[in-house]
Amino acid sequence: MKLRYLLFLSIALLLAQNLDAKPIRPRKIRKLLKHSEVLQTHFTGFALYDIQKQKMLVEQLSDKYFTPASNTKLYTFYAGLKLLKDSLPGVQYIIKNDSLIFWGAGDPTFLHPDFADQPILNKLKNSGKKLYWAAGRYQGDFYGMGWSYDDYNEYYQPEISELPLYGNVIRTQVQNNTLVGSPTLSPNGIFKLITDSTKTSGRFSLRRDIFSNEFYKPAVPMPITYRQEIPFKADTATISRLLKANLPNYAGIIHYSKPAQVNTWYGAKRDSVLKHMMLPSDNFIAEQLLLSYAVENKLPMSAEAVIDHMLKNFLTDLPDKPQWVDGSGLSRQDLFTPRDMVKLCEKIYQEIGNEAKLFDFLPQGGKSGTLRNLYKSADGPFVFAKTGSLSNNHNLSGFLKTRSGKTLIFSFMNNNYVRPTADVRSEMERIITYIHQNY
């Protein structure tokens, strides 16, 4: 009887302790930020928001502007939810007698190897018409405002164009001791492969001439594991030659003003392209999506037109007016505040209206995308968020599931540090994980 009584008392005390247990106070989170040795030498903005209570819990410099890097893609993502229906416009066209005249619609998936289904390619091939590309619709620059020319040879900075093909990059690798590319590299082809005999040491890597589609390889052995993606010059002449190589019925370029009434062929599903942008943080897709949004909404084909449309029609309730200039965040001229990022995430949450569906679009801690090696937990993902990195800048904005079952929105922005990014990333992980475990 006494043993039974003691057991009952122990259970009662345990239940009482659980009932009295309280989550960490916001003051504790502020202390974690304030006293972090890693975060002391640079600018850190932080905002933590309770969706259910519609209440900001913690703020540090949340009203100050930060360079967001790829956090910008959350704006591009939200624009896609508002401005596209279920599919992307592939091309717009008219038929005149035996000819089909078409205009590019910015579709990033055309001949892209990550999108096996190619409905636009098939429609053009099977049209039974001579094909003419009415080029010149896009009047913008091949780079976004404030992009770095130093990165022209890097996989993450392909050129912007009205009719992109292959993602506007060449994918190279070694097969049977031979260098192969898609599209093809050859001494006399569209993309010229040239051996630089002055480069006789160092690692094997291709480098394109900044002004042309000449690609130089060093005179050193190729490792069998070599792979590289290099942006090509997506000028009108190059795109036309690629079209001819893929479409037997392609007759060439025509100068033809687009009439008010045109037909549209739709291609890739919106959600699959948005997810492809978000998980690996694809800059090319982000930029091309802005052009697709413009076409679908009868706006001038430019990033500026779409951004202005979004700011005036769907983002007037942000706490601070953002400086938004591109789709990917490659520009350091993009400037957002942490509390703007939180508000944007809340709008995305409300727009989708389904937590599981929303979280599937985002990198998930320990599972997918740019967070697959971070925020690991035996209980499954608890961070669903977009990373954003440029040199000396690292940010994370999105959603946090706490151990108690709450859904929080957060934005953690770090700019102008000189220590290794790995240190900043680890400190962010420590603090976010602590909130997850204790709030």
Side-chain angles (χ1 to χ4, degrees):
M1 188 73 180
K2 186 175 181 181
L3 183 60
R4 226 181 252 181
Y5 172 77
L6 289 173
L7 182 60
F8 174 81
L9 185 60
S10 299
I11 293 173
L13 287 170
L14 183 60
L15 288 172
Q17 286 176 350
N18 286 337
L19 287 172
D20 290 337
K22 294 180 180 179
I24 54 172
R25 296 177 184 273
R27 185 173 59 185
K28 172 64 175 177
I29 300 171
R30 285 193 289 270
K31 282 186 176 180
L32 286 174
L33 296 166
K34 182 179 180 180
H35 297 298
S36 166
E37 181 183 346
V38 174
L39 305 182
Q40 291 307 302
T41 58
H42 64 265
F43 300 104
T44 297
F46 185 79
L48 184 67
Y49 180 80
D50 188 313
I51 293 178
Q52 186 176 5
K53 294 180 180 178
Q54 295 186 323
K55 177 184 177 183
M56 195 70 82
L57 302 172
V58 179
E59 297 181 79
Q60 175 176 295
L61 301 182
S62 69
D63 60 342
K64 305 304 179 186
Y65 287 89
F66 287 79
T67 300
S70 283
N71 273 200
T72 305
K73 293 183 178 73
L74 285 165
Y75 280 79
T76 305
F77 177 72
Y78 180 61
L81 299 177
K82 302 301 291 187
L83 300 181
L84 289 181
K85 295 177 182 176
D86 70 330
S87 301
L88 272 64
V91 294
Q92 294 185 313
Y93 69 95
I94 60 171
I95 293 176
K96 292 180 69 69
N97 301 320
D98 66 343
S99 301
L100 186 151
I101 301 170
F102 65 93
W103 290 262
D107 177 12
T109 70
F110 192 42
L111 291 175
H112 195 300
D114 292 345
F115 296 88
D117 188 25
Q118 290 288 318
I120 304 304
L121 179 68
N122 295 332
K123 286 178 182 293
L124 290 170
K125 276 185 176 180
N126 299 324
S127 66
K129 303 288 184 180
K130 292 180 181 178
L131 302 177
Y132 292 90
W133 173 31
R137 182 178 194 177
Y138 174 60
Q139 297 298 314
D141 294 327
F142 57 81
Y143 279 168
M145 185 185 298
W147 288 16
S148 171
Y149 272 74
D150 288 350
D151 295 334
Y152 80 92
N153 202 68
E154 303 298 333
Y155 74 93
Y156 51 77
Q157 194 166 291
E159 295 188 0
I160 303 166
S161 61
E162 64 190 79
L163 185 62
L165 280 72
Y166 299 98
N168 287 352
V169 301
I170 295 179
R171 293 160 179 83
T172 63
Q173 60 181 311
V174 174
Q175 291 182 355
N176 299 321
N177 295 318
T178 302
L179 179 66
V180 297
S182 176
T184 303
L185 279 164
S186 66
N188 300 303
I190 300 173
F191 303 107
K192 291 181 170 55
L193 182 62
I194 301 168
T195 299
D196 184 351
S197 58
T198 67
K199 302 288 186 181
T200 57
S201 62
R203 70 184 183 91
F204 186 90
S205 178
L206 296 187
R207 190 161 191 87
R208 197 197 84 215
D209 176 76
I210 190 170
F211 300 114
S212 71
N213 278 316
E214 295 180 347
F215 294 77
Y216 292 85
K217 65 174 183 176
V220 300
M222 295 181 296
I224 59 173
T225 57
Y226 164 79
R227 286 178 179 269
Q228 188 179 357
E229 295 184 9
I230 315 107
F232 59 75
K233 287 295 299 178
D235 56 81
T236 300
T238 297
I239 296 298
S240 187
R241 292 179 71 183
L242 289 172
L243 288 171
K244 184 62 179 176
N246 286 278
L247 296 167
N249 48 336
Y250 177 70
I253 294 172
I254 188 172
H255 299 287
Y256 201 99
S257 297
K258 187 178 72 66
Q261 298 299 320
V262 293
N263 302 298
T264 302
W265 277 330
Y266 287 85
K269 295 299 181 182
R270 179 198 71 176
D271 287 358
S272 68
V273 180
L274 289 177
K275 184 175 181 179
H276 197 93
M277 171 183 68
M278 296 297 282
L279 292 188
S281 198
D282 193 305
N283 296 324
F284 166 76
I285 288 181
E287 297 302 332
Q288 294 297 148
L289 277 174
L290 292 188
L291 302 192
S292 295
Y293 302 164
V295 169
E296 181 66 5
N297 291 270
K298 299 181 179 179
L299 298 169
M301 196 186 219
S302 71
E304 293 85 355
V306 173
I307 290 169
D308 186 61
H309 181 77
M310 285 298 298
L311 291 175
K312 288 179 177 177
N313 292 279
F314 302 106
L315 296 169
T316 57
D317 56 345
L318 294 180
D320 310 291
K321 185 178 180 180
Q323 183 168 295
W324 178 17
V325 303
D326 69 4
S328 63
L330 279 171
S331 176
R332 292 180 184 266
Q333 293 187 31
D334 289 310
L335 290 170
F336 306 142
T337 67
R339 65 183 185 182
D340 268 359
M341 297 305 306
V342 164
K343 181 63 177 178
L344 178 72
C345 288
E346 184 182 30
K347 291 167 75 68
I348 291 171
Y349 188 89
Q350 293 168 347
E351 183 71 25
I352 293 179
N354 181 307
E355 230 178 56
K357 182 178 179 181
L358 167 57
F359 291 170
D360 190 54
F361 279 111
L362 298 169
Q364 301 185 17
K367 181 180 179 182
S368 64
T370 53
L371 292 179
R372 64 186 176 276
N373 296 318
L374 299 164
Y375 301 95
K376 295 180 180 180
S377 170
D379 299 326
F382 61 89
V383 172
F384 310 85
K386 185 72 201 72
T387 54
S389 299
L390 291 169
S391 56
N392 313 108
N393 296 278
H394 184 70
N395 314 295
L396 186 66
S397 298
F399 303 87
L400 169 65
K401 295 290 288 187
T402 69
R403 188 168 282 175
S404 64
K406 291 181 180 294
T407 300
L408 306 177
I409 300 175
F410 72 94
S411 182
F412 205 154
M413 308 188 79
N414 294 273
N415 281 192
N416 298 340
Y417 55 79
V418 293
R419 64 171 68 238
T421 294
D423 293 353
V424 177
R425 190 185 294 120
S426 294
E427 184 68 350
M428 293 167 67
E429 184 175 16
R430 181 183 75 86
I431 293 171
I432 292 296
T433 300
Y434 183 86
I435 297 171
H436 156 71
Q437 293 174 340
N438 295 281
Y439 195 84

